[in-house]
């Protein structure tokens, strides 16, 4: 008896530790089984671009046919059986299901609900609604005129592509929508689209994958007061330096004012990065404008020092050149800076 127990224990431990084998596909069905998928984004509550995290409530619907689930609607008294919650989960544990997973979901959902309908002709409709976090990749190079494409990747981890194929029909694409009134601040939804592909998984076998891409656009008009007005207010001091006479602004105060403006511009860039993470560190248009401002202000200081050259040898030799050069530069340099700022903004606005 002891020898028998000692021999059977490792076997029992090995069988308990081994993962369960994936359920086989229904009998009498032509492979691959076509599983139709539609997705609705019910709400987007949070979008963190720097960390690449999305918090959303979604609802995805799976449709397939299992001939083994057919029943007589007359004897049953109804054409379809509807289950929800725990009853639906229990029934799903008894039948074959494609086992669709969301590849870029972070951890477990905060909440989820399952609905199941089994029709008399073997059609199965499973609806799963969940609230969870998802991993995304954001591009802030056009901030604050950026458009983000948020992917949700669905795949069949249980069955290879020759057994289960994920697909969408015209009905599924029309049914797949995004709520036009999302909770995420400063974002406007634009629509959804699907991308169908395959990927190689276990034993280099191809698996089917469908990616829903939700397009959201940043409402850049809400950033005018917070981004552009402070920048314009600081850079307008350069016009005062270029055009103010010495009686209004003495020469002894001009150099300190330029350095004070540079410090204000540096403080503004740190404020932007703290308030809008990624706005400065990811080569956005506002970051390009601030970088050009660091070069523009010293140029303004050099132009402002031209009056000190009136008694130089160059000024005595060309008495009309220096005043004319000063008049042209104090107009062309600000216009050139404004043109460069607009040049950095217009391509992102057109996108």
């Amino acid at each position: 008896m002891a020898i028998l127990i000692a021999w059977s224990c490792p076997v029992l431990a090995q069988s308990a530790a081994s993962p369960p084998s994936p359920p086989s596909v229904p009998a009498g069905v032509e492979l691959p089984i076509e599983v139709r998928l539609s997705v609705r984004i019910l709400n987007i509550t949070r979008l963190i671009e720097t960390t690449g995290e999305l918090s959303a409530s979604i609802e995805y619907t799976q449709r397939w046919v299992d001939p083994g689930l057919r029943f007589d609607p007359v004897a049953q008294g109804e054409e379809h059986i509807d289950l929800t919650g725990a009853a639906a989960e229990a029934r799903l544990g008894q039948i074959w299901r494609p086992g669709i997973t969301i590849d870029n979901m972070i951890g477990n959902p905060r909440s989820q609900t399952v609905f199941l309908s089994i029709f008399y002709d073997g059609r199965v409709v499973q609806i799963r609604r969940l609230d969870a976090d998802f991993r995304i990749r954001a591009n802030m190079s056009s901030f604050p005129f950026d458009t983000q494409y948020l992917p949700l990747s669905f795949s069949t981890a249980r069955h290879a592509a020759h057994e289960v194929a994920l697909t969408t029909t015209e009905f599924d694409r029309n049914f797949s929508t995004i709520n036009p009134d999302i909770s995420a601040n400063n974002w406007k939804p634009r629509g959804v689209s699907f991308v169908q592909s395959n990927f190689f998984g276990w034993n280099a076998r191809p698996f089917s994958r469908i990616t829903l891409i939700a397009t959201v656009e940043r409402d850049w008009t809400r950033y005018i007061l917070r981004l552009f007005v402070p920048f314009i207010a600081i850079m307008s001091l350069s016009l005062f330096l270029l055009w103010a006479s010495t009686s209004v602004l003495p020469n002894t105060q001009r150099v300190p004012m330029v350095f004070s403006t540079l410090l204000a511009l540096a403080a503004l860039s740190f404020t932007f990065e703290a308030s809008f993470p990624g706005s400065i560190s990811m080569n956005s248009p506002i970051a390009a404008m601030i970088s050009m401002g660091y070069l523009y202000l010293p140029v303004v200081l050099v132009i402002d020092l031209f009056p000190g050259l009136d008694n130089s040898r160059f000024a005595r030799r060309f008495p009309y050149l220096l005043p004319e050069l000063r008049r042209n530069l104090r107009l062309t340099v600000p216009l050139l800076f404004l043109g460069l700022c607009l040049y950095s903004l217009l391509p992102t606005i057109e996108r």
Side-chain angles (χ1 to χ4, degrees):
M1 179 65 70
I3 297 175
L4 180 60
I5 294 176
W7 176 82
S8 60
C9 283
V11 177
L12 293 175
Q14 183 178 2
S15 62
S18 60
S21 58
S24 58
V25 296
V29 179
E30 182 180 357
L31 298 180
I33 299 177
E34 185 179 274
V35 179
R36 295 167 49 188
L37 181 69
S38 59
V39 185
R40 292 198 305 152
I41 299 181
L42 306 177
N43 193 14
I44 296 178
T45 56
R46 186 182 60 164
L47 175 58
I48 306 178
E49 303 92 320
T50 52
T51 58
E53 293 184 11
L54 169 70
S55 298
S57 298
I58 68 171
E59 177 186 283
Y60 63 98
T61 303
Q62 310 170 48
R63 297 179 176 87
W64 70 90
V65 176
D66 187 350
L69 298 179
R70 294 174 180 171
F71 60 88
D72 186 0
V74 178
Q76 185 70 25
E78 53 187 358
E79 292 186 349
H80 54 86
I81 302 173
D82 297 328
L83 302 170
T84 182
E89 292 283 9
R91 184 64 176 136
L92 285 171
Q94 300 171 355
I95 65 175
W96 178 87
R97 60 191 187 279
I100 293 180
T101 59
I102 306 178
D103 299 335
N104 58 329
M105 186 169 66
I106 304 174
N108 296 320
R110 285 181 291 271
S111 62
Q112 62 176 329
T113 307
V114 180
F115 306 91
L116 180 65
S117 294
I118 302 176
F119 291 81
Y120 72 96
D121 55 357
R123 289 180 293 127
V124 181
V125 178
Q126 177 190 342
I127 304 174
R128 188 173 294 272
R129 181 178 298 177
L130 54 88
D131 182 25
D133 296 329
F134 305 92
R135 183 71 62 192
I136 61 168
R137 178 177 295 179
N139 183 8
M140 291 189 65
S141 60
S142 302
F143 175 88
F145 308 102
D146 53 326
T147 299
Q148 301 297 336
Y149 303 94
L150 313 176
L152 296 176
S153 298
F154 299 83
S155 63
T156 56
R158 292 181 177 177
H159 302 282
H162 71 278
E163 294 179 337
V164 173
L166 298 181
T167 184
T168 58
T169 63
E170 189 68 24
F171 171 81
D172 300 312
R173 289 188 289 272
N174 292 332
F175 187 75
S176 301
T177 57
I178 181 172
N179 186 0
D181 187 18
I182 58 178
S183 300
N185 294 328
N186 306 324
W187 291 101
K188 298 183 293 185
R190 290 307 183 197
V192 296
S193 59
F194 284 97
V195 175
Q196 190 167 0
S197 61
N198 289 338
F199 69 98
F200 290 95
W202 296 103
N203 298 326
R205 294 191 303 170
F207 289 79
S208 182
R209 171 182 288 164
I210 285 185
T211 301
L212 174 90
I213 300 178
T215 304
V216 294
E217 185 181 66
R218 195 186 300 271
D219 188 4
W220 63 270
T221 57
R222 299 187 179 183
Y223 292 83
I224 294 177
L225 291 176
R226 293 184 285 177
L227 287 176
F228 297 104
V229 171
F231 177 77
I232 295 173
I234 291 177
M235 302 311 296
S236 63
L237 294 175
S238 64
L239 299 177
F240 183 68
L241 289 170
L242 290 172
W243 292 89
S245 61
T246 55
S247 60
V248 178
L249 184 65
N251 292 331
T252 56
Q253 297 181 7
R254 292 175 179 266
V255 175
M257 180 172 288
V258 171
F259 285 103
S260 299
T261 307
L262 283 172
L263 292 176
L265 190 61
L268 184 66
S269 65
F270 283 113
T271 303
F272 285 167
E273 185 64 25
S275 302
F276 313 103
S279 61
I280 303 298
S281 59
M282 295 188 178
N283 299 324
S284 61
I286 192 67
M289 292 167 57
I290 290 179
S291 300
M292 289 186 292
Y294 289 136
L295 178 62
Y296 167 70
L297 290 174
V299 172
V300 170
L301 178 60
V302 172
I303 297 173
D304 191 61
L305 294 177
F306 278 179
L309 302 176
D310 290 338
N311 297 324
S312 63
R313 182 181 300 177
F314 179 81
R316 289 194 298 268
R317 186 172 182 179
F318 305 98
Y320 301 104
L321 180 59
L322 197 60
E324 188 66 24
L325 184 62
R326 187 188 307 129
R327 282 193 296 267
N328 281 275
L329 287 179
R330 68 181 183 180
L331 180 63
T332 56
V333 169
L335 290 179
L336 179 61
F337 175 71
L338 178 62
L340 291 175
C341 291
L342 293 177
Y343 178 77
S344 63
L345 291 176
L346 286 179
T348 58
I349 296 177
E350 293 176 356
R351 292 175 196 170

